[in-house]
Amino acid sequence: MAVVPEIAGADVKKFMELALAEAKAAGQRGEVPIGAVIVKDGKVIASAGNRREEDQKTDAHAEMHAILEANGKLGTWRLEETALFVTLEPCLMCAGAILNARIPLVYFGAQDKKAGAVTSLYSVFDDDRLNHQVKVFPGVLKDESAGLLKEFFKSLRDKAKAKKRVLKLAEEETGKQSEQAE
């Protein structure tokens, strides 16, 4: 297996910005705003945003779609000379797919304290018993990545509160009409 060199700082920022663009697009479609980009030889070969709601599939995470796209473009399941850029720390499922795809470099933005399998809840990539090792670069554009997620979930909470208020007003109006009819 060829050793993939770490990516230069300016390129790291550029590729993570592309992952952020995928995340923003996912958020605009009503998905949790997570984006992923896979790079080989300094070029983007695959990119995707979260699609769980659209696809109604458990595995429709941004990383999974990007991995499958890269497999198709390269004609192989082995992504040994690539780097993955993702806006949120991969979960256990995605970490497993990264290991199985043999991706050697992972750059991610925000940590995921509830499901992160790379540095938060678990450190899957640090397990020497596995047949493949992954070098991880956490915190790339983490404020931008975390900000997208916070904004998205705040918007969901605000919509839920507004819906509750509308339902309460409708309930009160129905009660008033019932009293007048009596």
Side-chain angles (χ1 to χ4, degrees), residues 31-48:
E31 296 285 351
V32 176
I34 301 168
V37 169
I38 297 180
V39 174
K40 180 175 173 54
D41 299 327
K43 294 182 179 80
V44 174
I45 62 165
S47 61

Side-chain angles (χ1 to χ4, degrees), residues 47-139:
S47 61
N50 218 24
R51 290 186 13 200
R52 280 186 11 174
E53 295 302 322
E54 288 172 74
D55 294 357
Q56 286 298 300
K57 292 183 179 177
T58 305
D59 66 348
H61 289 196
E63 301 96 307
M64 300 297 282
H65 277 286
I67 288 169
L68 291 172
E69 183 181 334
N71 292 149
K73 280 206 177 132
L74 298 179
T76 180
W77 62 270
R78 293 178 188 271
L79 302 178
E80 292 174 321
E81 297 178 4
T82 65
L84 170 70
F85 293 80
V86 61
T87 57
L88 184 66
E89 176 182 0
C91 68
L92 274 169
M93 174 182 68
C94 293
I98 290 162
L99 284 164
N100 281 302
R102 308 293 195 264
I103 297 172
L105 303 173
V106 172
Y107 298 79
F108 74 84
Q111 282 190 304
D112 186 348
K113 299 291 185 188
K114 294 181 180 180
V118 179
T119 62
S120 295
L121 293 179
Y122 305 100
S123 298
V124 173
F125 298 154
D126 291 339
D127 192 333
D128 292 336
R129 295 171 297 174
L130 297 170
N131 67 339
H132 176 68
Q133 301 305 302
V134 179
K135 189 161 186 183
V136 179
F137 302 88

Side-chain angles (χ1 to χ4, degrees), residues 148-162:
L148 270 179
L149 290 161
K150 285 177 187 170
E151 187 179 303
F152 177 80
F153 287 113
K154 182 186 180 312
S155 173
L156 284 184
R157 286 189 300 277
D158 291 348
K159 285 178 188 172
K161 285 178 189 174

